[in-house]
Amino acid sequence: MAEEYVYRGLIMQTFGSWFKIPVLAIFIQSVIFSLSHSYNGLGLIEILITGFALGFFTWKTNGIEVSSAIHTANNFSISLFVMLGLQYSTSNLSLSDTAATIVFEIILFIIMYYVGRKTDWFGEIPENSQNTGLFKRK
């Protein structure tokens, strides 16, 4: 939760309010998020993509609840796999592991986006209303 508050809450909202370009704020927080992890170059690419997806869900849902749930589920599942011996823990990832993980994450995020659209996670904000959430409209 602390990472979500810092990266998707504080950093993303700050840059989003300065630039008024959501994709730029999402990209900036993703870069900072990935650089704060101690992985090799391949691992940083994986974390960058994860950070971008979490930022996207934060922006689309106008809050950090969904990204926090995704982040928590991701960290819990990795911890569980390591504890059960199904996966090993390392900061030096191989190209094949990284590619497989990135493909899996992209598929997962597309499915989550589809489910989110169907279950109204992304409730539309009327254009004429006063938006008090992320990246206030004027």
Side-chain angles (χ1 to χ4, degrees):
M1 285 297 293
E3 286 183 325
E4 291 304 310
Y5 281 114
V6 171
Y7 298 107
R8 263 61 72 187
L10 177 66
I11 293 173
M12 192 169 136
Q13 285 191 43
T14 300
F15 284 113
S17 67
W18 290 349
F19 301 126
K20 307 287 190 223
I21 303 170
V23 76
L24 183 58
I26 293 169
F27 180 75
I28 290 170
Q29 68 80 26
S30 298
V31 169
I32 296 169
F33 177 66
S34 66
L35 292 176
S36 71
H37 290 76
S38 58
Y39 294 109
N40 65 1
L42 294 172
L44 292 178
I45 293 169
E46 182 183 323
I47 299 296
L48 180 74
I49 292 170
T50 300
F52 197 85
L54 294 173
F56 172 78
F57 282 112
T58 298
W59 171 63
K60 284 300 279 184
T61 61
N62 205 27
I64 64 169
E65 294 85 359
V66 172
S67 66
S68 295
I70 294 168
H71 197 160
T72 301
N74 179 61
N75 288 353
F76 177 74
S77 63
I78 290 170
S79 298
L80 189 61
F81 290 160
V82 170
M83 286 185 286
L84 295 174
L86 302 173
Q87 181 178 347
Y88 59 92
S89 178
T90 181
S91 60
N92 294 318
L93 304 174
S94 69
L95 180 60
S96 61
D97 288 341
T98 303
T101 301
I102 288 172
V103 168
F104 175 75
E105 284 184 344
I106 289 171
I107 291 169
L108 179 65
F109 293 140
I110 289 170
I111 291 169
M112 292 180 72
Y113 181 73
Y114 176 77
V115 169
R117 298 270 313 189
K118 293 293 184 185
T119 60
D120 198 30
W121 281 353
F122 314 122
E124 295 296 321
I125 301 169
E127 289 294 325
N128 296 331
S129 71
Q130 184 73 14
N131 182 2
T132 59
L134 296 172
F135 316 135
K136 294 179 185 176
R137 296 182 188 149
K138 295 198 179 205

